[in-house]
Coordinates of all heavy atoms in Angstrom, one line a residue:
M1 N -28.4 -81.0 18.6 CA -27.8 -79.9 18.0 C -28.3 -78.6 18.7 O -27.6 -77.7 18.8 CB -28.2 -79.9 16.5 CG -27.4 -78.9 15.8 SD -25.9 -79.5 15.2 CE -25.6 -78.5 13.9
R2 N -29.5 -78.6 19.2 CA -30.1 -77.4 19.8 C -29.4 -77.1 21.1 O -29.3 -76.0 21.6 CB -31.6 -77.5 20.0 CG -32.3 -77.7 18.8 CD -33.8 -77.5 19.0 NE -34.2 -76.5 18.1 CZ -35.2 -75.7 18.3 NH1 -35.8 -75.7 19.4 NH2 -35.5 -74.8 17.4
G3 N -28.8 -78.1 21.8 CA -28.2 -77.9 23.1 C -26.8 -77.2 23.0 O -26.3 -76.6 24.0
D4 N -26.3 -77.2 21.8 CA -25.0 -76.5 21.6 C -25.1 -75.0 21.3 O -24.1 -74.3 21.1 CB -24.2 -77.2 20.5 CG -23.7 -78.6 20.9 OD1 -23.7 -78.8 22.1 OD2 -23.5 -79.4 20.0
R5 N -26.3 -74.6 21.1 CA -26.5 -73.2 20.7 C -25.9 -72.2 21.7 O -26.2 -72.3 22.9 CB -27.9 -72.9 20.5 CG -28.2 -71.6 19.9 CD -29.7 -71.4 19.6 NE -29.9 -70.1 19.0 CZ -30.5 -69.9 17.9 NH1 -31.0 -70.8 17.2 NH2 -30.6 -68.6 17.5
G6 N -25.0 -71.3 21.3 CA -24.4 -70.3 22.2 C -23.2 -70.8 22.9 O -22.6 -70.1 23.7
S7 N -22.8 -72.0 22.7 CA -21.6 -72.5 23.4 C -20.3 -71.8 23.0 O -19.4 -71.6 23.8 CB -21.5 -74.0 23.2 OG -21.3 -74.4 21.9
V8 N -20.3 -71.4 21.7 CA -19.1 -70.7 21.2 C -18.9 -69.4 21.9 O -17.8 -69.0 22.4 CB -19.1 -70.6 19.7 CG1 -18.0 -69.6 19.2 CG2 -19.1 -71.9 19.0
A9 N -20.0 -68.7 22.1 CA -20.0 -67.4 22.8 C -19.6 -67.6 24.2 O -18.9 -66.8 24.8 CB -21.3 -66.7 22.7
A10 N -20.1 -68.6 24.9 CA -19.8 -68.9 26.3 C -18.3 -69.2 26.4 O -17.6 -68.7 27.3 CB -20.6 -70.0 26.8
E11 N -17.8 -70.1 25.5 CA -16.4 -70.4 25.6 C -15.5 -69.2 25.3 O -14.4 -69.0 26.0 CB -16.0 -71.5 24.5 CG -16.6 -72.8 24.9 CD -16.5 -73.9 23.8 OE1 -15.9 -73.5 22.7 OE2 -17.0 -75.0 24.0
F12 N -15.9 -68.3 24.4 CA -15.1 -67.1 24.1 C -15.1 -66.2 25.4 O -14.1 -65.6 25.7 CB -15.7 -66.4 22.9 CG -15.0 -65.1 22.6 CD1 -13.8 -65.2 22.0 CD2 -15.6 -63.9 22.8 CE1 -13.1 -64.0 21.7 CE2 -15.0 -62.7 22.5 CZ -13.7 -62.8 21.9
A13 N -16.3 -66.1 26.0 CA -16.4 -65.2 27.2 C -15.5 -65.8 28.3 O -15.0 -65.0 29.1 CB -17.8 -65.2 27.7
V14 N -15.3 -67.1 28.4 CA -14.5 -67.6 29.4 C -13.0 -67.5 29.1 O -12.2 -67.2 30.0 CB -14.8 -69.1 29.6 CG1 -13.8 -69.8 30.5 CG2 -16.2 -69.3 30.2
T15 N -12.6 -67.7 27.9 CA -11.2 -67.6 27.5 C -10.7 -66.2 27.3 O -9.4 -66.0 27.3 CB -10.9 -68.5 26.2 OG1 -11.7 -67.9 25.1 CG2 -11.2 -69.9 26.5
L16 N -11.5 -65.2 27.0 CA -11.0 -63.9 26.7 C -10.3 -63.3 27.8 O -9.2 -62.7 27.6 CB -12.2 -63.0 26.2 CG -11.8 -61.6 25.9 CD1 -10.9 -61.6 24.7 CD2 -13.1 -60.7 25.6
P17 N -10.7 -63.3 29.1 CA -10.0 -62.7 30.2 C -8.6 -63.4 30.3 O -7.6 -62.7 30.6 CB -10.8 -63.0 31.4 CG -12.2 -63.1 30.9 CD -12.1 -63.8 29.6
A18 N -8.5 -64.7 30.2 CA -7.2 -65.4 30.3 C -6.3 -65.0 29.2 O -5.1 -64.8 29.4 CB -7.4 -66.9 30.2
L19 N -6.8 -64.8 28.0 CA -6.0 -64.4 26.8 C -5.5 -63.0 27.1 O -4.3 -62.7 26.8 CB -6.8 -64.5 25.6 CG -6.1 -64.0 24.3 CD1 -4.9 -64.9 24.0 CD2 -7.1 -64.0 23.1
L20 N -6.3 -62.1 27.5 CA -5.9 -60.7 27.8 C -4.9 -60.7 28.9 O -3.9 -59.9 28.9 CB -7.1 -59.9 28.2 CG -8.1 -59.6 27.1 CD1 -9.3 -58.8 27.6 CD2 -7.4 -58.8 26.0
L21 N -5.0 -61.5 29.9 CA -4.0 -61.6 31.0 C -2.6 -62.0 30.5 O -1.6 -61.4 30.8 CB -4.5 -62.5 32.1 CG -3.5 -62.7 33.3 CD1 -3.3 -61.4 34.0 CD2 -4.0 -63.8 34.2
V22 N -2.6 -63.0 29.6 CA -1.4 -63.5 29.0 C -0.7 -62.4 28.2 O 0.5 -62.2 28.2 CB -1.6 -64.8 28.2 CG1 -0.4 -65.1 27.4 CG2 -2.0 -65.9 29.1
V23 N -1.5 -61.7 27.4 CA -1.0 -60.6 26.5 C -0.4 -59.5 27.4 O 0.6 -59.0 27.2 CB -2.1 -60.1 25.6 CG1 -1.6 -58.8 24.9 CG2 -2.4 -61.2 24.5
A24 N -1.2 -59.1 28.5 CA -0.7 -58.1 29.4 C 0.6 -58.5 30.1 O 1.5 -57.6 30.2 CB -1.8 -57.8 30.4
L25 N 0.7 -59.7 30.5 CA 1.9 -60.1 31.1 C 3.1 -60.2 30.2 O 4.2 -59.8 30.5 CB 1.7 -61.5 31.8 CG 0.9 -61.6 33.0 CD1 0.6 -63.0 33.4 CD2 1.5 -60.8 34.1
G26 N 2.9 -60.5 28.9 CA 3.9 -60.5 27.9 C 4.4 -59.1 27.6 O 5.6 -58.8 27.5
I27 N 3.4 -58.2 27.5 CA 3.8 -56.7 27.3 C 4.6 -56.2 28.5 O 5.6 -55.5 28.4 CB 2.6 -55.9 27.0 CG1 2.0 -56.3 25.6 CG2 2.9 -54.4 27.1 CD1 0.6 -55.7 25.3
G28 N 4.1 -56.6 29.7 CA 4.8 -56.2 30.9 C 6.3 -56.7 31.0 O 7.2 -56.0 31.4
A29 N 6.4 -57.9 30.6 CA 7.8 -58.5 30.6 C 8.7 -57.8 29.6 O 9.9 -57.6 29.9 CB 7.7 -60.0 30.3
L30 N 8.2 -57.5 28.4 CA 9.0 -56.7 27.5 C 9.3 -55.3 28.0 O 10.4 -54.9 27.8 CB 8.2 -56.6 26.1 CG 8.1 -57.9 25.3 CD1 7.2 -57.7 24.1 CD2 9.5 -58.3 24.9
A31 N 8.4 -54.7 28.6 CA 8.6 -53.4 29.2 C 9.7 -53.4 30.3 O 10.6 -52.6 30.4 CB 7.3 -52.8 29.7
A32 N 9.6 -54.4 31.1 CA 10.6 -54.6 32.2 C 12.0 -54.9 31.6 O 13.0 -54.4 32.1 CB 10.2 -55.7 33.2
G33 N 12.0 -55.7 30.6 CA 13.3 -56.0 29.9 C 13.9 -54.7 29.3 O 15.1 -54.5 29.4
G34 N 13.1 -53.9 28.7 CA 13.6 -52.6 28.1 C 14.1 -51.7 29.2 O 15.1 -51.0 29.0
Q35 N 13.4 -51.7 30.3 CA 13.8 -50.9 31.5 C 15.1 -51.3 32.0 O 16.0 -50.5 32.3 CB 12.7 -50.9 32.5 CG 13.0 -50.0 33.7 CD 11.8 -50.1 34.7 OE1 10.8 -50.8 34.5 NE2 12.0 -49.4 35.8
A36 N 15.3 -52.6 32.1 CA 16.6 -53.2 32.5 C 17.8 -52.8 31.6 O 18.9 -52.4 32.1 CB 16.5 -54.7 32.7
V37 N 17.5 -52.8 30.3 CA 18.6 -52.4 29.3 C 18.9 -50.9 29.5 O 20.1 -50.5 29.5 CB 18.1 -52.7 27.9 CG1 19.0 -52.1 26.9 CG2 18.1 -54.2 27.7
R38 N 17.9 -50.1 29.6 CA 18.1 -48.7 29.8 C 18.9 -48.4 31.1 O 19.8 -47.6 31.1 CB 16.8 -47.9 29.9 CG 16.1 -47.7 28.5 CD 15.0 -46.7 28.6 NE 13.9 -47.1 29.6 CZ 13.0 -48.0 29.3 NH1 12.9 -48.5 28.1 NH2 12.1 -48.3 30.2
L39 N 18.6 -49.1 32.2 CA 19.3 -48.9 33.4 C 20.8 -49.4 33.3 O 21.7 -48.7 33.8 CB 18.7 -49.7 34.6 CG 17.4 -49.0 35.1 CD1 16.8 -49.9 36.2 CD2 17.6 -47.6 35.7
Q40 N 21.0 -50.5 32.6 CA 22.4 -51.0 32.4 C 23.2 -50.0 31.6 O 24.4 -49.7 31.9 CB 22.4 -52.4 31.8 CG 23.7 -53.0 31.7 CD 24.4 -53.2 33.0 OE1 23.7 -53.8 33.9 NE2 25.6 -52.8 33.2
D41 N 22.6 -49.5 30.6 CA 23.3 -48.5 29.7 C 23.6 -47.2 30.6 O 24.7 -46.6 30.4 CB 22.5 -48.1 28.5 CG 22.5 -49.2 27.4 OD1 23.4 -50.1 27.5 OD2 21.7 -49.1 26.5
A42 N 22.7 -46.8 31.4 CA 22.9 -45.6 32.2 C 24.0 -45.8 33.2 O 24.8 -44.9 33.5 CB 21.6 -45.2 32.9
A43 N 24.0 -47.0 33.8 CA 25.1 -47.3 34.8 C 26.4 -47.3 34.1 O 27.4 -46.8 34.7 CB 24.8 -48.6 35.5
A44 N 26.5 -47.9 33.0 CA 27.8 -47.9 32.3 C 28.3 -46.5 31.9 O 29.4 -46.1 32.1 CB 27.7 -48.8 31.0
D45 N 27.3 -45.7 31.3 CA 27.7 -44.3 31.0 C 28.1 -43.5 32.2 O 29.0 -42.7 32.1 CB 26.5 -43.7 30.2 CG 26.3 -44.3 28.9 OD1 27.2 -44.9 28.3 OD2 25.2 -44.0 28.3
A46 N 27.3 -43.6 33.3 CA 27.7 -42.9 34.5 C 29.0 -43.3 35.0 O 29.8 -42.4 35.5 CB 26.5 -43.1 35.5
A47 N 29.3 -44.6 35.0 CA 30.6 -45.0 35.6 C 31.8 -44.4 34.7 O 32.8 -44.0 35.3 CB 30.7 -46.5 35.6
R48 N 31.6 -44.4 33.4 CA 32.6 -43.9 32.5 C 32.8 -42.4 32.8 O 33.9 -41.9 32.8 CB 32.3 -44.1 31.1 CG 32.7 -45.5 30.6 CD 32.6 -45.7 29.1 NE 31.2 -45.5 28.6 CZ 30.3 -46.4 28.4 NH1 30.7 -47.7 28.6 NH2 29.2 -46.1 27.9
L49 N 31.7 -41.7 32.9 CA 31.8 -40.2 33.2 C 32.5 -39.9 34.5 O 33.4 -39.0 34.5 CB 30.4 -39.6 33.3 CG 29.6 -39.4 31.9 CD1 28.2 -39.0 32.2 CD2 30.3 -38.3 31.1
I50 N 32.2 -40.6 35.5 CA 32.8 -40.4 36.8 C 34.3 -40.8 36.8 O 35.2 -40.2 37.3 CB 32.1 -41.1 38.0 CG1 30.7 -40.5 38.1 CG2 32.9 -41.1 39.3 CD1 29.8 -41.2 39.1
A51 N 34.6 -41.9 36.0 CA 36.0 -42.4 36.0 C 36.9 -41.4 35.2 O 38.1 -41.3 35.6 CB 36.0 -43.7 35.2
R52 N 36.3 -40.7 34.3 CA 37.2 -39.7 33.6 C 37.1 -38.3 34.3 O 37.5 -37.3 33.7 CB 36.9 -39.5 32.1 CG 35.7 -40.1 31.6 CD 35.6 -39.7 30.1 NE 34.5 -38.7 30.0 CZ 33.7 -38.7 28.9 NH1 34.0 -39.5 27.9 NH2 32.7 -37.9 28.9
A53 N 36.7 -38.3 35.5 CA 36.7 -37.1 36.4 C 35.7 -36.0 35.9 O 35.9 -34.8 36.2 CB 38.1 -36.5 36.5
D54 N 34.6 -36.4 35.2 CA 33.6 -35.5 34.9 C 32.7 -35.2 36.2 O 32.8 -36.0 37.2 CB 32.6 -36.0 33.8 CG 33.2 -35.8 32.4 OD1 34.0 -34.9 32.3 OD2 32.7 -36.5 31.5
D55 N 31.9 -34.2 36.1 CA 31.1 -33.8 37.3 C 30.1 -35.0 37.6 O 29.5 -35.5 36.7 CB 30.4 -32.5 37.0 CG 29.7 -32.0 38.2 OD1 30.0 -32.4 39.3 OD2 28.8 -31.1 38.0
E56 N 30.0 -35.3 38.9 CA 29.1 -36.4 39.2 C 27.6 -36.0 38.9 O 26.8 -36.9 38.7 CB 29.2 -36.7 40.7 CG 28.5 -38.0 41.1 CD 28.8 -38.4 42.5 OE1 29.9 -38.4 42.9 OE2 27.8 -38.8 43.2
S57 N 27.3 -34.7 38.9 CA 25.9 -34.4 38.6 C 25.6 -34.7 37.1 O 24.4 -35.0 36.9 CB 25.7 -32.9 38.8 OG 26.5 -32.1 37.9
R58 N 26.5 -34.8 36.2 CA 26.3 -35.2 34.9 C 25.9 -36.7 34.8 O 25.0 -37.1 34.1 CB 27.5 -34.9 34.0 CG 27.7 -33.4 33.7 CD 28.8 -33.2 32.8 NE 28.6 -33.7 31.5 CZ 29.5 -33.8 30.6 NH1 30.8 -33.5 30.8 NH2 29.2 -34.3 29.4
A59 N 26.7 -37.4 35.7 CA 26.4 -38.9 35.7 C 25.0 -39.1 36.3 O 24.3 -40.0 35.9 CB 27.5 -39.6 36.6
R60 N 24.6 -38.4 37.3 CA 23.3 -38.5 37.9 C 22.2 -38.2 36.9 O 21.2 -38.8 36.9 CB 23.2 -37.6 39.2 CG 23.9 -38.2 40.4 CD 23.6 -37.3 41.6 NE 24.4 -37.7 42.7 CZ 24.1 -38.7 43.5 NH1 22.9 -39.4 43.4 NH2 24.9 -39.1 44.5
A61 N 22.5 -37.2 36.1 CA 21.5 -36.8 35.1 C 21.3 -37.9 34.1 O 20.2 -38.1 33.6 CB 22.0 -35.5 34.4
V62 N 22.4 -38.6 33.7 CA 22.3 -39.7 32.8 C 21.4 -40.8 33.4 O 20.5 -41.4 32.8 CB 23.6 -40.3 32.5 CG1 23.5 -41.7 31.8 CG2 24.4 -39.3 31.6
A63 N 21.6 -41.1 34.7 CA 20.7 -42.1 35.4 C 19.3 -41.6 35.5 O 18.4 -42.4 35.4 CB 21.3 -42.4 36.8
D64 N 19.1 -40.3 35.8 CA 17.7 -39.8 35.9 C 17.0 -39.9 34.5 O 15.8 -40.3 34.5 CB 17.7 -38.3 36.3 CG 18.2 -38.2 37.8 OD1 18.1 -39.2 38.5 OD2 18.5 -37.0 38.1
V65 N 17.6 -39.7 33.4 CA 17.0 -39.8 32.1 C 16.5 -41.3 31.9 O 15.5 -41.5 31.3 CB 18.0 -39.4 31.0 CG1 17.4 -39.8 29.6 CG2 18.2 -37.9 31.1
A66 N 17.3 -42.2 32.4 CA 16.9 -43.6 32.3 C 15.9 -44.1 33.3 O 15.4 -45.2 33.2 CB 18.2 -44.5 32.5
G67 N 15.5 -43.2 34.2 CA 14.4 -43.5 35.1 C 14.9 -44.1 36.4 O 14.1 -44.7 37.2
A68 N 16.2 -44.0 36.7 CA 16.7 -44.5 38.0 C 16.2 -43.7 39.2 O 16.2 -42.5 39.2 CB 18.2 -44.5 38.0
S69 N 15.8 -44.5 40.2 CA 15.3 -43.8 41.4 C 16.4 -43.8 42.5 O 16.3 -43.0 43.4 CB 14.1 -44.5 42.0 OG 14.4 -45.9 42.3
S70 N 17.4 -44.7 42.3 CA 18.5 -44.6 43.2 C 19.8 -44.7 42.4 O 19.9 -45.2 41.4 CB 18.5 -45.8 44.2 OG 18.7 -47.0 43.6
F71 N 20.9 -44.0 43.0 CA 22.1 -43.9 42.3 C 23.2 -44.0 43.3 O 23.2 -43.2 44.3 CB 22.1 -42.5 41.6 CG 23.4 -42.2 40.9 CD1 23.6 -42.6 39.6 CD2 24.4 -41.5 41.5 CE1 24.7 -42.3 38.9 CE2 25.6 -41.2 40.8 CZ 25.7 -41.6 39.5
T72 N 24.1 -44.9 43.2 CA 25.2 -45.1 44.2 C 26.5 -45.3 43.5 O 26.6 -46.0 42.5 CB 24.9 -46.4 45.0 OG1 23.6 -46.4 45.5 CG2 25.9 -46.6 46.1
V73 N 27.5 -44.5 44.0 CA 28.9 -44.6 43.4 C 29.8 -45.2 44.5 O 29.7 -44.9 45.7 CB 29.4 -43.2 43.1 CG1 30.8 -43.3 42.6 CG2 28.5 -42.5 42.1
S74 N 30.6 -46.2 44.1 CA 31.5 -46.8 45.0 C 32.9 -47.0 44.2 O 32.9 -47.0 43.0 CB 31.0 -48.1 45.5 OG 30.9 -49.0 44.4
R75 N 33.9 -47.0 45.0 CA 35.3 -47.2 44.4 C 35.8 -48.5 45.0 O 35.8 -48.7 46.2 CB 36.2 -46.0 44.7 CG 35.6 -44.8 44.1 CD 36.6 -43.6 44.2 NE 36.0 -42.4 43.7 CZ 36.1 -42.0 42.5 NH1 36.8 -42.7 41.6 NH2 35.5 -40.8 42.1
Q76 N 36.3 -49.3 44.1 CA 36.9 -50.6 44.5 C 38.3 -50.7 43.8 O 38.3 -51.1 42.6 CB 36.0 -51.8 44.1 CG 34.6 -51.7 44.7 CD 33.7 -52.8 44.2 OE1 34.0 -53.4 43.2 NE2 32.6 -52.9 44.9
G77 N 39.3 -50.4 44.5 CA 40.6 -50.4 43.9 C 40.8 -49.4 42.8 O 40.5 -48.2 43.0
D78 N 41.1 -49.8 41.6 CA 41.2 -48.9 40.4 C 39.9 -48.7 39.7 O 39.9 -48.1 38.6 CB 42.2 -49.4 39.5 CG 43.6 -49.3 40.0 OD1 43.9 -48.6 41.0 OD2 44.5 -50.0 39.5
L79 N 38.8 -49.2 40.2 CA 37.5 -49.1 39.5 C 36.5 -48.2 40.2 O 36.5 -48.0 41.4 CB 36.9 -50.5 39.5 CG 37.6 -51.6 38.7 CD1 36.8 -52.9 38.9 CD2 37.8 -51.2 37.3
V80 N 35.8 -47.5 39.4 CA 34.6 -46.7 39.8 C 33.4 -47.5 39.4 O 33.2 -47.8 38.3 CB 34.6 -45.3 39.2 CG1 33.4 -44.5 39.6 CG2 35.9 -44.5 39.5
C81 N 32.6 -47.8 40.4 CA 31.4 -48.5 40.1 C 30.1 -47.7 40.4 O 30.1 -47.0 41.4 CB 31.3 -49.8 41.0 SG 32.7 -50.9 40.6
V82 N 29.1 -47.8 39.6 CA 27.9 -47.1 39.7 C 26.8 -48.2 39.7 O 26.7 -49.1 38.9 CB 27.6 -46.1 38.6 CG1 26.3 -45.5 38.6 CG2 28.7 -45.0 38.6
A83 N 25.9 -48.1 40.7 CA 24.7 -48.9 40.8 C 23.5 -48.0 40.7 O 23.4 -47.0 41.4 CB 24.7 -49.7 42.1
V84 N 22.5 -48.4 39.9 CA 21.3 -47.7 39.7 C 20.1 -48.7 39.9 O 20.3 -49.9 39.7 CB 21.2 -47.0 38.4 CG1 22.2 -45.9 38.3 CG2 21.3 -48.0 37.2
A85 N 19.0 -48.2 40.3 CA 17.8 -49.1 40.5 C 16.6 -48.3 40.3 O 16.6 -47.0 40.4 CB 17.8 -49.6 41.9
S86 N 15.5 -49.0 39.9 CA 14.3 -48.3 39.7 C 13.2 -49.3 39.9 O 13.3 -50.5 39.7 CB 14.2 -47.9 38.2 OG 12.9 -47.4 37.9
P87 N 12.0 -48.9 40.5 CA 10.9 -49.8 40.6 C 10.4 -50.3 39.3 O 10.4 -49.5 38.3 CB 9.9 -49.0 41.4 CG 10.3 -47.6 41.3 CD 11.7 -47.6 41.0
V88 N 9.9 -51.5 39.2 CA 9.4 -52.0 38.0 C 8.1 -51.3 37.7 O 7.2 -51.2 38.6 CB 9.1 -53.6 38.1 CG1 8.4 -54.1 36.8 CG2 10.4 -54.3 38.4
R89 N 7.9 -50.8 36.5 CA 6.7 -50.1 36.1 C 6.1 -50.9 35.0 O 6.6 -51.0 33.9 CB 7.1 -48.7 35.6 CG 7.4 -47.8 36.7 CD 7.8 -46.4 36.2 NE 9.3 -46.4 36.5 CZ 10.2 -45.8 35.7 NH1 9.9 -45.2 34.6 NH2 11.5 -45.8 36.1
L90 N 4.9 -51.3 35.2 CA 4.1 -52.1 34.2 C 2.8 -51.4 34.0 O 1.7 -52.1 33.9 CB 3.9 -53.5 34.7 CG 5.2 -54.3 35.0 CD1 4.8 -55.7 35.5 CD2 6.0 -54.4 33.7
G91 N 2.8 -50.1 33.8 CA 1.5 -49.4 33.5 C 0.7 -49.4 34.8 O 1.1 -48.9 35.8
I92 N -0.6 -49.9 34.7 CA -1.5 -49.8 35.8 C -1.4 -51.1 36.7 O -2.1 -51.1 37.7 CB -2.9 -49.6 35.4 CG1 -3.4 -50.7 34.4 CG2 -3.0 -48.2 34.7 CD1 -4.8 -50.7 34.1
V93 N -0.6 -52.0 36.3 CA -0.6 -53.3 37.0 C 0.4 -53.1 38.2 O 1.5 -52.7 38.1 CB -0.1 -54.5 36.1 CG1 0.0 -55.7 36.9 CG2 -1.0 -54.6 34.9
P94 N -0.1 -53.4 39.5 CA 0.8 -53.3 40.6 C 1.9 -54.4 40.6 O 1.7 -55.5 40.2 CB -0.1 -53.5 41.8 CG -1.3 -54.2 41.3 CD -1.4 -53.8 39.8
T95 N 3.1 -53.9 40.9 CA 4.2 -54.9 40.8 C 4.7 -55.4 42.2 O 5.6 -56.2 42.2 CB 5.4 -54.2 40.1 OG1 5.8 -53.0 40.9 CG2 5.1 -53.8 38.7
G96 N 4.1 -54.9 43.2 CA 4.4 -55.5 44.5 C 5.8 -55.1 45.1 O 6.4 -55.9 45.8
G97 N 6.3 -54.0 44.6 CA 7.6 -53.5 45.1 C 8.8 -54.1 44.5 O 9.9 -54.0 45.0
F98 N 8.6 -54.8 43.3 CA 9.8 -55.4 42.6 C 10.7 -54.2 42.1 O 10.2 -53.2 41.7 CB 9.4 -56.3 41.5 CG 8.7 -57.5 41.9 CD1 7.4 -57.8 41.7 CD2 9.5 -58.5 42.5 CE1 6.8 -59.0 42.2 CE2 9.0 -59.7 43.0 CZ 7.6 -59.9 42.8
E99 N 11.9 -54.5 42.1 CA 12.9 -53.4 41.6 C 13.9 -54.0 40.6 O 14.3 -55.2 40.8 CB 13.6 -52.9 42.8 CG 14.5 -51.7 42.6 CD 15.0 -51.1 43.8 OE1 16.0 -51.7 44.4 OE2 14.5 -50.1 44.3
I100 N 14.2 -53.2 39.6 CA 15.2 -53.6 38.6 C 16.5 -52.8 39.0 O 16.4 -51.6 39.2 CB 14.8 -53.3 37.2 CG1 13.6 -54.2 36.9 CG2 15.9 -53.5 36.2 CD1 13.0 -53.9 35.5
S101 N 17.6 -53.5 39.0 CA 18.8 -52.8 39.3 C 19.9 -53.2 38.3 O 19.8 -54.2 37.6 CB 19.3 -53.1 40.7 OG 19.6 -54.5 40.8
A102 N 20.9 -52.3 38.2 CA 22.0 -52.5 37.3 C 23.3 -51.9 37.9 O 23.2 -51.0 38.6 CB 21.8 -51.9 35.9
R103 N 24.4 -52.5 37.6 CA 25.7 -52.1 38.1 C 26.7 -52.2 37.1 O 26.8 -53.2 36.3 CB 26.1 -53.0 39.3 CG 27.3 -52.5 40.0 CD 27.5 -53.4 41.3 NE 28.6 -52.9 42.1 CZ 29.9 -53.4 42.0 NH1 30.1 -54.4 41.1 NH2 30.8 -53.0 42.7
S104 N 27.6 -51.2 37.0 CA 28.7 -51.2 36.0 C 29.9 -50.5 36.6 O 29.8 -49.6 37.4 CB 28.2 -50.5 34.7 OG 29.2 -50.6 33.7
C105 N 31.1 -50.9 36.2 CA 32.3 -50.4 36.7 C 33.2 -49.9 35.5 O 33.1 -50.5 34.4 CB 33.1 -51.4 37.5 SG 32.2 -52.0 38.9
A106 N 34.0 -48.9 35.8 CA 34.9 -48.4 34.7 C 36.3 -48.2 35.4 O 36.3 -47.9 36.6 CB 34.4 -47.1 34.1
L107 N 37.3 -48.2 34.7 CA 38.7 -48.0 35.2 C 38.8 -46.5 35.5 O 38.6 -45.7 34.7 CB 39.7 -48.4 34.1 CG 41.2 -48.3 34.6 CD1 41.4 -49.3 35.7 CD2 42.1 -48.7 33.4
D108 N 39.2 -46.3 36.8 CA 39.3 -44.9 37.3 C 40.4 -44.2 36.5 O 41.5 -44.7 36.4 CB 39.6 -44.9 38.8 CG 39.3 -43.6 39.4 OD1 38.8 -42.7 38.7 OD2 39.7 -43.4 40.6
G109 N 40.1 -43.0 36.0 CA 41.1 -42.3 35.3 C 41.3 -42.8 33.8 O 42.2 -42.3 33.1
G110 N 40.6 -43.8 33.4 CA 40.8 -44.4 32.1 C 40.1 -43.6 31.0 O 39.1 -43.0 31.3
W111 N 40.6 -43.6 29.9 CA 40.0 -43.1 28.7 C 39.7 -44.1 27.8 O 39.6 -44.6 26.9 CB 40.9 -42.0 28.1 CG 41.0 -40.8 28.9 CD1 41.8 -40.5 29.9 CD2 40.1 -39.6 28.7 NE1 41.5 -39.3 30.4 CE2 40.5 -38.7 29.7 CE3 39.1 -39.3 27.9 CZ2 39.9 -37.5 29.9 CZ3 38.5 -38.1 28.1 CH2 38.9 -37.2 29.0

């Protein structure tokens, strides 16, 4: 019985970093998912704004509010498409250059 003394503390010290890593990765995945949703909404709103002939600077402002670092407008037939992208931000954890992007199209001139 004396040889087991302190084994709980040692096991806790070994498992705590792994547990913290799993929690941090889970929080990071949730943050990246939220960022993707914001970018998708911004791309859809920007495409609709441009399609109804609003000023493109308003559409860029919508994308900027969502945190987009790139903003591209293209026309494909009767559609206006907007693509936005942003680097993945997970607080202090380096992401290695991963990027989240979103693209949405709206009928040109459509209401």
Side-chain angles (χ1 to χ4, degrees):
M1 188 90 156
R2 296 190 127 214
D4 292 339
R5 186 175 179 127
S7 64
V8 171
E11 290 172 1
F12 180 73
V14 169
T15 58
L16 182 63
L19 179 64
L20 290 177
L21 179 64
V22 168
V23 168
L25 288 174
I27 291 171
L30 288 173
Q35 186 178 354
V37 169
R38 284 190 304 276
L39 286 176
Q40 185 61 48
D41 285 345
D45 290 343
R48 281 191 299 263
L49 284 170
I50 293 172
R52 9 178 252 214
D54 276 340
D55 189 18
E56 190 173 316
S57 63
R58 290 180 66 190
R60 285 185 187 274
V62 168
D64 288 343
V65 167
S69 60
S70 70
F71 180 87
T72 307
V73 178
S74 62
R75 297 188 185 271
Q76 299 172 348
D78 289 342
L79 298 176
V80 175
C81 297
V82 172
V84 294
S86 175
V88 176
R89 286 176 250 146
L90 301 177
I92 61 171
V93 179
T95 59
F98 290 111
E99 188 173 77
I100 295 177
S101 62
R103 183 173 184 266
S104 185
C105 299
L107 185 61
D108 197 6
W111 285 88

